[in-house]
Amino acid sequence: EEELAREVTDNPTGMFQQGVQTQANAKMKRAYNEAADRAKDVERLQRSIQELYQMFQDLATLVSRQGEVLNSIETNVNTASKNVKKGNAQLVKAHKYQKKTRKCMCCLLIIGISIIMVFAVSTGVIVGA
């Protein structure tokens, strides 16, 4: 206590200055720590924004590729549709040819049977005459 009393009497403003400096140093440290924390938060935010940007870039690339795939699929579907139409037209033609061939075969069979009957009648092969 004597030392404290002597300090107050010898240098009355010194103690107050030291107290003020200590408080000022504490405030400065808090301000510095807050600024450092904010800087770290800003860096984290910057990294997050960069990651988000990269994700959007990747998404844009995927969408572009999917667009190309969809165009390819559309082209293939259109080609398949045209081929099916052509195939149906060919099936209709084949059905017509089959009908004509069947008619021809029936006519040839009737002509053949008629020739055989005429030949048989002329040679007298038919029984009962």
Side-chain angles (χ1 to χ4, degrees), residues 3-129:
E3 191 177 317
L4 183 62
R6 202 173 337 129
E7 183 71 31
V8 170
T9 54
D10 290 345
N11 190 1
T13 58
M15 274 186 72
F16 293 114
Q17 283 178 343
Q18 188 178 8
V20 169
Q21 280 181 341
T22 303
Q23 285 180 345
N25 285 339
K27 284 182 181 179
M28 286 175 49
K29 281 184 180 179
R30 266 187 271 130
Y32 174 79
N33 288 338
E34 287 176 8
D37 289 343
R38 284 185 189 149
K40 286 179 186 177
D41 289 342
V42 168
E43 287 176 5
R44 273 184 260 155
L45 182 61
Q46 183 183 8
R47 280 193 302 272
S48 295
I49 290 172
Q50 286 174 340
E51 289 172 3
L52 185 62
Y53 173 77
Q54 187 60 44
M55 284 183 207
F56 275 108
Q57 291 291 78
D58 294 343
L59 182 63
T61 302
L62 290 173
V63 168
S64 175
R65 287 182 185 167
Q66 285 179 347
E68 293 169 4
V69 169
L70 287 176
N71 290 340
S72 175
I73 290 171
E74 182 181 12
T75 301
N76 290 340
V77 167
N78 288 335
T79 302
S81 176
K82 289 176 186 176
N83 289 340
V84 166
K85 288 178 182 177
K86 287 179 184 178
N88 283 337
Q90 289 178 356
L91 284 174
V92 168
K93 280 183 182 180
H95 185 68
K96 287 180 184 178
Y97 290 141
Q98 189 178 23
K99 276 186 176 181
K100 285 182 181 180
T101 303
R102 201 175 295 141
K103 284 182 184 179
C104 263
M105 291 300 281
C106 286
C107 288
L108 287 175
L109 184 63
I110 290 173
I111 291 172
I113 291 174
S114 298
I115 291 175
I116 291 174
M117 287 182 71
V118 169
F119 181 72
V121 169
S122 66
T123 57
V125 173
I126 294 182
V127 180

